Amino acid sequence: MAATAAALTLSNVSRPQNGFFRSNTERQPAMAIVAQKKARKTRKVILKEDVTELGKKGELLDVKAGFFRNYLFPLGKAQIVTPLLLKEMRIEEERIEAEKKRVKEEAEQLARIFETVGAFKVKRKGGKGKLIFGTVTAQDIADIIKAQLQRDIDKRIVSLPEIRETGEYIAELKLHPEVAARVRINVYAN
């Protein structure tokens, strides 16, 4: 009996944990311990200026908190996003979009004016047959438009074929990235 009593007492006692013996009757459900991952700490920021390999001015980004705290903020390259700042950004974007729309409408109106004018006449000294001395350049077209329509245009927006003879040609005026006007040019010799 002594052996069975000893077996009973040994079976009721669990293995030592941290140097303490616990009996099986006192066992409580063990709590599962889950390893905690470090939370990835990021900050939503708006760039105040272009940052190489990160983004352009005005961009909304998520950056690591340490990068913001140690680099972007001290150098004044970024700012933490706030609701007020987001509202200001939205208002500024709407203002910029309205300005772009206004500029495009003006360019379309100017294109209609150029296309309804008819042909611009260019007079050059004539040579043999239909040839003229020199060529008609973009600057010549810009000067003629200014003289006839009182509109200043930049010679860089004028694209025209090489003109070395008398005749009728078509020049294209790139008034806006999405708007171009085609004007007729009559070249004649005196």
Side-chain angles (χ1 to χ4, degrees), residues 1-9:
M1 289 263 259
T4 57
L8 282 174
T9 57

Side-chain angles (χ1 to χ4, degrees), residues 35-103:
Q36 294 180 349
K37 291 183 180 179
K38 283 189 173 181
R40 189 163 182 209
K41 296 178 180 167
T42 60
R43 301 282 185 258
K44 281 202 177 294
V45 298
I46 295 175
L47 295 179
K48 290 182 177 178
E49 58 186 64
D50 291 354
V51 179
T52 5
E53 298 187 18
L54 188 61
K56 299 219 180 270
K57 179 181 179 180
E59 232 178 287
L60 185 67
L61 299 170
D62 283 328
V63 295
K64 290 187 176 180
F67 183 62
F68 172 74
R69 182 178 59 247
N70 297 323
Y71 179 71
L72 295 174
F73 183 69
L75 295 178
K77 294 184 179 231
Q79 181 176 355
I80 289 186
V81 174
T82 62
L84 180 64
L85 191 60
L86 283 175
K87 184 178 179 183
E88 288 174 2
M89 278 182 56
R90 196 174 324 110
I91 290 170
E92 182 67 16
E93 286 174 3
E94 289 171 0
R95 187 192 65 75
I96 290 171
E97 286 300 318
E99 178 67 19
K100 284 180 182 178
K101 185 178 178 182
R102 186 189 63 77
V103 168

Side-chain angles (χ1 to χ4, degrees), residues 173-188:
L173 305 174
K174 191 79 171 162
L175 303 170
H176 185 269
E178 301 171 13
V179 179
R182 297 169 61 96
V183 295
R184 289 187 339 216
I185 299 170
N186 282 333
V187 180
Y188 64 96

